[in-house]
Structure formats: C-alpha cells, structure tokens
C-alpha cells in the first residue's frame, strides 16, 4: 500500500494545508485520540476512517456519524473507494484527497478541544465548495481525453444548399458531464473557461481540416478569451495550417458591449483572414449601437426570436423583420437559428433571412473525436416546391 496520501484543506486565511496520512487506518473526528482532530461544527467524536484497500487505493468508512461523510458531494453509506482529487466532507469539514507532490507543504494540525456534544447540523445546510469534484478528470479533458463534438449544417435559406457548419463541443469523459453547459460551469469554478473553449475549438478545427474541403466553420468563443492576445495568436496559427477551414468566430453578446475593443478585434481578425459573427442576437438587448459601430459578417438571430415566429403577433413579426432589414443594410448576413418547421422557415424567408440553422435543415451530427474524418451529414431538407 502506497502511504503517500494527504488530505488537503483550506485555512481561514485561504492558504492550503496538507495533512499527511500516516499509518492506516487513519481516523478523523473531534476526539483527541483521532489521527486528524477537527473541531468543525457537526463532526462526531469518531467520525470516519481511511483504510487500505487491496486495490492499492484508500477506502473511506463512515463510522455511523451523526452528520455524515460525503465523497464528491454524495453521502457515504458504509464505505467507498477514493481516487486522487476526490472531494471529501466530514460533516462540514471539507478536504481533497491528494497523492504526494514534491511542491506540497505538509502541515499537521495540533489536536483541538472539542467539547462534549456532537452538534446537529441542520438538514438544509449546504456543503462548502472549496474544491471541485473530479478536477483531475477535468484536467484530462483539457488535454484532449474525452473531448468530442458535433457539426450542424448552416444552409442557404432559399436553396437549402450547404454553406457552412457550426462546431458544437461535447464531452464524453466517463467521469464528467457531456453537456457543454455543465462542463463550463465546472470550468468557471476552476477558472479555466478559456482553456475549455480553446480545447473544444481546436478539436473541431482539426477534425474539419482533416476533410480537406476548405469548409467554412463557425466556432464559439468564451467572453473571457475574446480579447485575449493568446486567442488571436492561436487563430493566426490555425489559419496557416494546410487544409484549415475558413473560420467564422462567434462573439458572445456580453463581449459585443465593449465597442472600442470590438473595433480593435474586428481589425485584428480581418488581418488574419478570420470573419466573425454576433451570436444570440436579440436574446438580451438588441445591441443596435454596437452593430452599427462594428458590423459583423454574420448576425445569428437567437432562437428565442425564431421559435414559433409563424404564430407570433404581427407586431413581433414586424420587429424581427425590421431588425433583419437593418442587419442587411449594414452589410451583415442575417442567420435564423433554431428553425424547426417549414412554417417558421417560410416566414423567415419572407423576412429576408439569408441563412438558416436548425433541426429542420440538419441536426447536429456527432463526429469522431479521434481526429478521423466524420461521416458526411444527411442532406439538408430541401425547400418545399412552389
């Protein structure tokens, strides 16, 4: 059994403390006889113990504590095997299990007075969140293990001919959520949103480049990376690669508000031959001032405006039609997102939308994350005959 295990915790001043797990079993509780003595509210006198497992891993056993032990925020009933970077709560005391690292500072807290009673923690009291469960697996994801995605066609509104794809990042790591929204929530807690966005984007570009077709590819950006110099340098390098797709960078609406920086970004993107689109147009404020100051090559109208547009009031239809006309007059290409029915598509066509993206004309098609060329998507639905 490898004894080089530690429990990491966060002190009141924000510093990290490492408690070395010596001989096993290693007991945790308020009683001074425990190996790790904590005076945290809700901890039992003999709360839990860590022991050796035949697999070489540690096993945590809850000793019928009053307020419970939790691994990755799931309550332990009996015992459970632990893995590196698992987040453990002994009642309200939060730790992360770690293996030895030469850079760690090892401290062992002195036994603390504990009082005579175990305090009962209210059932609704939330567990602390100093650590993020499955951080090790998330780092694997950033290195490419478990990344995946899908390509969704973007087609001409009138002819339904293929014009481009949008790359939609996905997860397929067995220990992590597949939803990109949940993965970005996790990235936010770790402060690594830009890294996740870049990892998704680079995978999509690599896969599409393998097809060698000079495809136009819409790729997403995270607001935290939009104006970052490293982001622009990466795009420039990508453009120089053989078979690189013709990129369209989708700019999140929260970044559009910064007009001066958007002007600079637009100039830089033009210099490296990358076009850009305003994403989710109309989801919040219409951003007409920004659109007038820095016209995008494409404006993607939010699906919230498009869904059921055929059943919407004349007033709403007029508002959307006026926005489409304004976008067109500014030299941008209007794109309707989320179109699912022919009735919606027909109203959008009458309004002057030039491009369409949605389940009607092509659902997202999963691709091979290994880098192999994906199978071609099914042909977009042709427009109805007049």
């Amino acid at each position: 059994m490898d004894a080089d295990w530690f429990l990491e915790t966060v002190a009141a001043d924000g510093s990290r403390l490492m408690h070395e797990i010596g001989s096993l079993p290693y007991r945790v509780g308020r009683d001074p006889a425990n190996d790790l003595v904590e005076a945290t509210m809700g901890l039992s006198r003999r709360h839990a113990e860590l022991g050796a497992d035949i697999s070489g891993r540690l096993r945590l056993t809850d000793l019928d504590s009053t307020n419970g032990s939790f691994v990755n925020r799931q309550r332990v009933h009996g015992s459970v095997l632990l893995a590196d970077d698992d987040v453990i709560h002994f009642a309200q005391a939060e730790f992360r299990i770690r293996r030895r690292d030469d850079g760690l500072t090892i401290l062992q807290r002195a036994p603390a007075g504990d009082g005579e009673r175990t305090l009962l923690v209210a059932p609704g009291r939330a567990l602390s969140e100093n650590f993020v469960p499955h951080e090790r697996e998330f780092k694997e994801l950033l290195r490419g293990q478990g990344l995946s995605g899908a390509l969704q066609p973007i087609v001409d509104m009138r002819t339904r001919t293929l014009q481009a794809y949008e790359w939609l990042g996905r997860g397929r790591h067995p220990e992590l959520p597949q939803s990109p929204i949940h993965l970005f929530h996790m990235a936010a807690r770790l402060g690594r949103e830009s890294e996740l966005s870049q990892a998704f984007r680079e995978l999509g570009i690599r896969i599409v480049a393998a097809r060698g077709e000079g495809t136009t590819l819409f790729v997403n950006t995270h607001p935290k990376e939009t104006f970052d110099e490293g982001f622009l340098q990466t795009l420039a390098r990508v453009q120089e690669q053989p078979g690189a797709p013709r990129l369209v960078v989708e700019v999140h609406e929260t970044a559009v508000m910064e007009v001066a920086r958007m002007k600079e970004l637009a100039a830089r993107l033009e210099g490296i031959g990358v076009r850009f689109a305003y994403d989710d147009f109309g989801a919040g404020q219409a951003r007409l001032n920004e659109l007038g100051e820095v016209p995008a090559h494409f404006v993607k109208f939010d699906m919230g405006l498009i869904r059921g547009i055929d059943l919407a009031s004349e007033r709403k239809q007029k508002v959307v039609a006026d926005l489409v006309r304004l976008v067109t007059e500014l030299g941008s290409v209007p794109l309707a997102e989320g179109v699912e029915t022919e009735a919606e598509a027909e109203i959008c066509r009458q309004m002057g939308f030039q491009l369409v993206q949605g389940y009607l004309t092509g659902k997202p098609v999963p691709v091979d994350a290994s880098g192999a060329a994906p199978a071609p998507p099914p042909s977009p639905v042709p427009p109805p005959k007049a």
Side-chain angles (χ1 to χ4, degrees):
M1 170 70 189
D2 183 357
D4 290 341
W5 291 90
F6 304 88
L7 286 172
E8 178 185 10
T9 190
V10 178
D13 63 358
S15 61
R16 300 297 175 96
L17 302 177
M18 306 299 297
H19 300 280
E20 184 172 9
I21 299 173
S23 60
L24 297 173
Y26 182 86
R27 295 182 176 85
V28 179
R30 289 177 17 256
D31 194 294
N34 288 295
D35 299 288
L36 176 58
V37 181
E38 286 283 329
T40 305
M41 182 180 70
L43 210 68
S44 297
R45 296 179 67 86
R46 295 177 65 253
H47 196 98
E49 73 174 27
L50 302 174
D53 184 80
I54 192 172
S55 65
R57 292 161 62 181
L58 291 180
R59 179 177 291 276
L60 183 150
T61 302
D62 183 79
L63 301 177
D64 295 323
S65 64
T66 301
N67 293 299
S69 302
F70 302 80
V71 175
N72 296 327
R73 310 187 72 78
Q74 300 296 314
R75 185 157 187 166
V76 175
H77 299 283
S79 68
V80 64
L81 285 175
L82 299 175
D84 190 21
D85 279 340
D86 276 348
V87 178
I88 302 171
H89 283 83
F90 302 114
Q92 295 297 310
E94 184 178 5
F95 297 86
R96 178 166 60 181
I97 193 75
R98 297 284 302 276
R99 282 188 179 273
R100 179 179 293 278
D101 182 328
D102 291 338
L104 297 180
T105 300
I106 311 304
L107 300 175
Q108 180 68 52
R109 285 185 184 171
D114 63 323
E116 294 299 322
R117 295 181 298 111
T118 299
L119 298 177
L120 184 64
V121 176
R125 187 181 178 91
L127 299 175
S128 57
E129 298 187 35
N130 293 320
F131 301 110
V132 179
H134 302 298
E135 182 175 348
R136 174 174 54 84
E137 290 84 354
F138 186 82
K139 292 176 181 177
E140 293 173 352
L141 186 78
L142 294 180
R143 293 193 295 269
Q145 182 178 333
L147 285 176
S148 185
L151 291 170
Q152 184 171 26
I154 295 173
V155 305
D156 183 275
M157 175 62 78
R158 294 180 179 276
T159 65
R160 305 289 173 88
T161 55
L162 182 68
Q163 301 296 307
Y165 292 105
E166 180 179 357
W167 170 253
L168 304 168
R170 300 285 188 269
R172 64 171 190 173
H173 194 291
E175 302 298 326
L176 297 173
Q178 295 185 3
S179 163
I181 293 177
H182 292 150
L183 288 172
F184 272 106
H185 285 167
M186 189 174 184
R189 292 179 60 192
L190 294 167
R192 309 187 76 161
E193 303 100 307
S194 296
E195 292 176 67
L196 178 59
S197 179
Q198 180 177 336
F200 275 139
R201 187 170 52 250
E202 289 184 350
L203 174 64
I205 292 172
R206 185 172 71 248
I207 288 175
V208 172
R211 304 180 72 176
E213 298 176 0
T215 306
T216 296
L217 183 67
F218 284 64
V219 292
N220 290 284
T221 60
H222 191 276
K224 285 193 173 182
E225 67 175 336
T226 306
F227 305 113
D228 185 74
E229 181 64 28
F231 164 66
L232 292 167
Q233 291 177 0
T234 300
L235 290 180
R237 288 196 300 270
V238 167
Q239 288 296 98
E240 297 173 355
Q241 297 176 4
R246 297 188 294 271
L247 290 181
V248 177
V249 171
E250 297 192 12
V251 179
H252 192 270
E253 65 164 341
T254 55
V256 178
M257 295 183 289
E258 303 186 54
V259 174
R261 302 185 76 183
M262 274 304 308
K263 287 182 177 179
E264 181 182 349
L265 176 65
R268 293 288 301 278
L269 290 175
E270 182 179 10
I272 60 176
V274 173
R275 292 175 291 175
F276 70 98
Y278 288 149
D279 194 19
D280 298 328
F281 183 70
Q285 300 181 43
R287 305 296 177 205
L288 299 180
N289 177 60
E290 293 85 348
L291 183 63
E293 291 288 337
V294 195
H297 298 90
F298 303 89
V299 175
K300 301 185 74 173
F301 280 64
D302 183 71
M303 64 179 62
L305 288 177
I306 304 302
R307 293 279 173 82
I309 190 65
D310 56 309
L311 304 176
S313 65
E314 290 185 11
R315 179 177 298 178
K316 178 179 178 179
Q317 290 186 2
K318 183 178 186 307
V319 168
V320 176
D322 287 345
L323 288 174
V324 172
R325 183 168 58 255
L326 174 63
V327 164
T328 303
E329 289 174 352
L330 290 172
S332 302
V333 175
L335 185 157
E337 282 195 284
V339 175
E340 295 188 349
T341 69
E342 284 293 352
E344 291 171 346
E346 176 57 23
I347 295 297
C348 288
R349 185 190 65 79
Q350 294 176 16
M351 289 178 171
F353 279 100
Q354 298 176 37
L355 298 176
V356 60
Q357 178 180 357
Y359 278 20
L360 174 67
T361 54
K363 295 181 179 180
V365 178
V367 298
D368 184 356
S370 69
S379 300
V381 175
K385 295 181 180 180

